[in-house]
């Protein structure tokens, strides 16, 4: 019997109580040749409850700890432990639960991130990665998603009426990061990000949009960084000036 939910606990408690009462009744019958009386049955229920109630409490405690551990493991499996935002796999899982017809994929990458590590160390690099994730997260509504795509790269799923709206949003993110200061011990630094945008459309919409947004991100970085590039429905490139 697998005890995983409260109905399972109740069923288990009933089973334990019945078994305990029957066991107590049997012991009384063995040692009392006069047979079972109503008083004996009352004693049997008392003894049985004395066994069942602590057992129920212990099983409930184990279930609580098991559920907490399961939730913790689930969180660790679905979130990036540095930034505490969803990881790439969980992003895909959540995205597949949405109607993606009005969404845009935005790929974002921290510019010259290697310089941060080389100049200030990897601890500052972690501060920057977490800080950028926090900035992105503050702009995410209930309809949107943000996740760490890997390394210093992030991915967002943004709901907008058109490409212009998605572009304005990405520009807001770019400017927000550029204005931020990241501090670690006695050091501080600032960074910029580049972004690529693509609409979700096509036979394999999400996969295709991620691919095209990544291409657009490459165009933004290749044209000087700290820029936003878009790939619209006609598959033409537009790069905004920083």
């Amino acid at each position: 019997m697998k005890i995983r939910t409260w109905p399972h606990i109740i069923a288990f408690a009933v089973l334990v109580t019945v078994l305990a009462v029957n066991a107590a009744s049997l012991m009384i019958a063995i040692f009392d040749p006069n047979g079972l009386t109503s008083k004996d049955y009352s004693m049997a229920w008392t003894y049985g409850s004395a066994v069942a109630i602590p057992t129920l409490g212990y099983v409930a405690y184990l279930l609580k700890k098991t559920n907490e551990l399961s939730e913790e493991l689930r969180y660790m499996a679905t979130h990036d432990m540095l930034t505490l935002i969803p990881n790439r796999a969980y992003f895909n899982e959540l995205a597949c639960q949405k109607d993606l017809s009005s969404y845009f994929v935005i790929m974002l990458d921290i510019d010259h991130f290697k310089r941060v590590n080389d100049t200030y160390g990897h601890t500052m690099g972690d501060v920057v990665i977490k800080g950028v994730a926090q900035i992105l997260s503050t702009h995410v509504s209930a309809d949107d998603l943000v996740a760490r795509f890997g390394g210093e790269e992030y991915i967002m799923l943004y709901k907008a009426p058109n490409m212009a709206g998605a572009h304005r949003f990405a520009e807001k993110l770019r400017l927000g990061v550029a204005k931020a200061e990241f501090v670690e011990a006695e050091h501080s630094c600032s960074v910029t990000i580049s972004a690529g945008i693509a609409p979700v459309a096509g036979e394999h919409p999400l996969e295709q949009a991620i691919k095209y947004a990544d291409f657009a991100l490459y165009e933004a970085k290749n044209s000087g960084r700290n820029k936003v590039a878009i790939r619209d429905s006609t598959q033409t490139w537009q790069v905004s000036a920083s």
Side-chain angles (χ1 to χ4, degrees):
M1 180 179 181
K2 296 182 179 180
I3 303 175
R4 295 178 177 173
T5 64
W6 282 105
H8 290 162
I9 288 182
I10 295 173
F12 181 74
V14 171
L15 177 62
V16 170
T17 303
V18 171
L19 292 176
V21 169
N22 287 335
S25 300
L26 179 60
M27 294 299 294
I28 293 173
I30 291 175
F31 291 101
D32 187 355
N34 296 323
L36 294 173
T37 65
S38 58
K39 182 179 179 180
D40 294 330
Y41 278 114
S42 178
M43 290 178 59
W45 275 102
T46 300
Y47 295 150
S49 298
V51 173
I53 291 175
T55 301
L56 172 61
Y58 182 66
V59 172
Y61 168 78
L62 291 179
L63 177 64
K64 179 176 180 293
K65 300 303 290 185
T66 299
N67 288 341
E68 290 175 352
L69 180 59
S70 296
E71 291 176 4
E72 183 178 350
L73 292 175
R74 169 66 175 168
Y75 186 86
M76 292 175 64
T78 57
H79 288 72
D80 172 62
M81 289 296 96
L82 176 61
T83 61
L84 302 182
I85 62 176
N87 58 27
R88 182 174 178 176
Y90 193 40
F91 171 87
N92 290 332
E93 179 183 330
L94 294 174
C96 290
Q97 299 172 12
K98 293 179 175 291
D99 177 6
L100 300 176
S101 57
S102 300
Y103 280 89
F104 294 82
V105 170
I106 306 176
M107 299 291 295
L108 309 105
D109 186 85
I110 301 173
D111 298 325
H112 300 298
F113 181 71
K114 187 175 182 299
R115 292 181 185 175
V116 175
N117 285 332
D118 291 344
T119 304
Y120 303 102
H122 288 83
T123 301
M124 175 64 87
D126 288 347
V127 169
V128 170
I129 287 176
K130 289 189 290 186
V132 171
Q134 290 172 358
I135 293 171
L136 301 182
S137 297
T138 59
H139 291 83
V140 173
S141 71
D143 292 327
D144 308 324
L145 293 175
V146 60
R148 187 178 180 188
F149 199 70
E152 64 273 18
E153 194 170 8
Y154 308 84
I155 184 170
M156 300 187 76
L157 193 62
Y158 179 68
K159 189 172 186 178
N162 49 46
M163 179 65 82
H167 182 261
R168 285 193 298 270
F169 177 73
E171 278 291 320
K172 183 188 300 184
L173 298 175
R174 184 184 67 80
L175 294 173
V177 171
K179 293 176 182 178
E181 183 180 15
F182 304 96
V183 179
E184 192 280 317
E186 71 277 12
H187 301 297
S188 66
C189 74
S190 59
V191 297
T192 61
I193 60 172
S194 298
I197 311 172
V200 181
E203 184 179 355
H204 303 290
L206 184 60
E207 295 86 349
Q208 178 177 292
I210 292 174
K211 178 181 177 181
Y212 287 164
D214 202 38
F215 287 161
L217 173 61
Y218 175 80
E219 290 296 322
K221 297 183 80 70
N222 195 46
S223 63
R225 294 181 172 83
N226 193 22
K227 299 176 185 295
V228 175
I230 64 175
R231 178 164 181 167
D232 64 20
S233 57
T234 60
Q235 299 185 4
T236 58
W237 302 102
Q238 300 177 26
V239 182
S240 63
S242 58

